[in-house]
Amino acid sequence: MARPFHAAAVRVRRLFRSRSHATAPAGGLAPAAHPWKRAFGLLAVVVLGAWLGLLVVGSVRTPVGPMDTTMTLRPSVSGGTKINVSPLGALELDSHHAPVRLDVDVDQLDPERSQALVKHPERLSGLQDEVTDDVASGTRELAVRSCVAVVSGATALGLVVYRRPRRALAAGGLALALLAASGVSAYATWNPKSVLEPKFSGLLSSAPSVVGDARSIVSEFDVYQQELARLVTNVTKLYDATSTLPVYQPDPGTIRVLHVSDIHLNPAAWHIIASLVEQYEIDVIIDSGDTMDHGTAAENGFLDPVAELGAPYVWVRGNHDSKVTQDRLGKTRNAHVLDEGGAVDAAGLRIAGTGDPQFTPDRTRPIGGKASEQLAGARLASALRDQKRAGTPVDIAVAHDPNAARETDGTVPLVLAGHVHHRVNELLPLGTRLKVEGSTGGGGLRAVQNEKPEKVRASVLYLDRATRHLQAWDEITLGGLGLTTAEVSRHLPEENLKSPAPSPCAPTTSP
């Protein structure tokens, strides 16, 4: 392949020389042909090389207070700063005017640094200075790395294009000069008051109550600092409570099912679920919906931890989950989406379910009410009967709303639901047991601002592997965000009671 390219290059050079000689004046000296084209070509090489260099090595991971962030410089026409807070969206600040933009991605809250703040409350008073120092340190490191990135990128591309070291070094020098000029422009136009007028996108624009008013945050930083301290304390103590849950050891052949519901975009729920999967050796997770809050595409990144939970994840759509949510989860490794009576085999169980017929994240749209739920439940019951006639009876049915779940009475031994944010255990007239789970997300993101946060609930169901019937279940209740009590109680179905049931386990309190 190299010979044809080399031959073509030789022909191009000969053609260029012949044209230069043809246009040479009588004196025999060829004038510089189109110097502005060469300058434009060099500028294009510099800009492209610098951009590639920034893409490859132009980012810095740095802690900012209790959070891990990634800072990156990107070419831009208008400049400014963009802060991405996944999965809530982003906010843009008109912080400076220069051909470069600063991107800050908030990756996660670091549990160790959060616990250090909780254990040493005196550090909270210096949190503002710590954040300022962290940002300054990260910016300095980013500046040095960006200089290396643009010079290396422009020099390397110049060497590939021109094949002359002097031209390549000239490209690297010009790239450094352009970056320095951009830095001077950013410094000269720096606007520290831009934080007062941010531009929100994604969920942050539709849920301002979650982030509060930016002006009040700046003007009343002491109040904001206290709220930040409380949020950090709540999340950290939640981790502590989860880690102290007691462990049961049922029969090794028992199928263990973790029932969760109504996470409502609370990222702490994933830590709880992962902890329970590990401690109880869960075989399959069943989520009865309302994983999201508004069902927008901006929330989809929230679903990423599903692939790493360590057990198959069976899910039905809730009234806060959209078809966009359903499509995204359907493409996620480890997830099984059920709708319209569809069934899946997981961990030795056959599970069927249907999504909620209503999508009412803010209750502004007309809703079908109880009648639409009952119709969806009737369709699920029909699908369950079809499965039984086909010789593949369903062991567990799942719906989001209890009104839909009740319609399956007599067609399946066990049906699971959520929606109402409290537990219900009911043996229906035709023999089906209905189990409704509370909110595994403790009511969602807004729980961190409540005076009395909603409790966090999940259940572990134990089913016999031979009969696939429910033998017992453990109800796990955390005292809500900010409280450190964790209670686990064992329950047996009434039909299985041959002797008085054992008393519930005593609540455990984390240190």
Side-chain angles (χ1 to χ4, degrees), residues 29 68 91 140 153 185 201 230 243 289 336 357 362 406 430 475:
L29 295 175
D68 291 328
L91 60 113
R140 287 193 296 269
S185 176
S201 61
R230 184 169 62 151
S243 64
H336 303 277
D362 50 14
R406 285 190 172 88
L430 298 181
E475 293 181 350

Side-chain angles (χ1 to χ4, degrees), residues 29 39 103 163 202 249 265 278-279 290 334 343 364 375 399 484 501:
L29 295 175
D103 286 356
R163 301 179 182 273
Q249 297 293 339
L265 211 66
E278 180 179 0
Q279 293 184 54
D290 272 5
N334 197 49
T364 58
L375 179 58
T484 57

